[in-house]
Amino acid sequence: MDIAVITYAGLPQLHPLDAPLVPALRALGLDARPVIWDDPAVDWSRVRAAVVRNAWDSHLRREEFLAWADRVASVTRLFNPADVLRWNTHKGYLKTLEARGLPLTPTVWVPPGGTLDVAATARERGWDAVVLKPAVAAGGLKVFIVRREQWDDASAKVAELAKEGDVMVQPYLRAFETEGERSYIFFNGAFSHAVRRPPTLSTAPRGFAEPHGFTPDNAAEQQVAHEVMEACGGARLLYARVDVATDNEGRTRLQEVEVTEPSLFLLMDAGAPERMAKALVARL
């Protein structure tokens, strides 16, 4: 086949939000099909290119997934590249971006096997509530909001999470409740479309329960998204999603850069599937 659009066994035909990529590629004359990444029957040397899309169990099997990426990249074109997938599947990449001056949400990093006095840390930094999350995670798995009255329990939760790897401790951003997160989506380094996403760790306000496309009108926020994109490699990346939110002082903060297997919400912008398909063709 020409293009293997990579998914996992739980979504053999891709998620509906991302499935439009396949017909868009076919419209350009390419034989494109969803392929489960760990299917042992696939001969990757007979695939012209593989595009990681809905490999949504990769964070649960990170080393296995990265070994697969290295194997595939040795015999065909892989997007995004294997080294990018390794870099992006551990949130330690955010330290690198922060060191370059990008506005990351303030973060305390707890090493594997480490502990943290969450109450003392929160008081010192003026945080009313905190978010605890593993550095290798996706989809809100093992992510917790802890409020002031629960801080004593939070230290035990950090220690529990740290048994499995690095842990991030951040302030909870109250604007999530009204603004959610904004995702800026890029193909070959060029902006494609934007999506506003509701909070996933708390109750969303009425009418704000589903992601929806929007036209960006905040120039400063758009600038942050473009600067993050450039810092991550720009046009080297076939696809990227830059997630930002508003902090408790009203400033735009980088949440994550998703260049492994993010939903790109192709169904939410009429031109997005064709733009992504053409971006891929430009690489072949």
Side-chain angles (χ1 to χ4, degrees), residues 52-68:
V52 179
R53 291 307 317 116
N54 295 152
W56 287 354
D57 58 350
S58 59
H59 63 291
L60 301 173
R61 305 160 60 189
R62 181 174 180 250
E63 291 308 316
E64 184 180 352
F65 175 74
L66 294 176
W68 166 86

Side-chain angles (χ1 to χ4, degrees), residues 19 27 29 32 35 39 41 62 64 70 86 94 105 111 122-123 134 137 162 167 177 233 239 279 282-283:
V35 177
D39 182 347
R62 181 174 180 250
E64 184 180 352
D70 287 337
R86 181 172 294 278
L94 291 167
T105 297
R123 282 194 296 267
V167 180
E177 301 293 343
Y239 57 88
R283 300 294 194 99

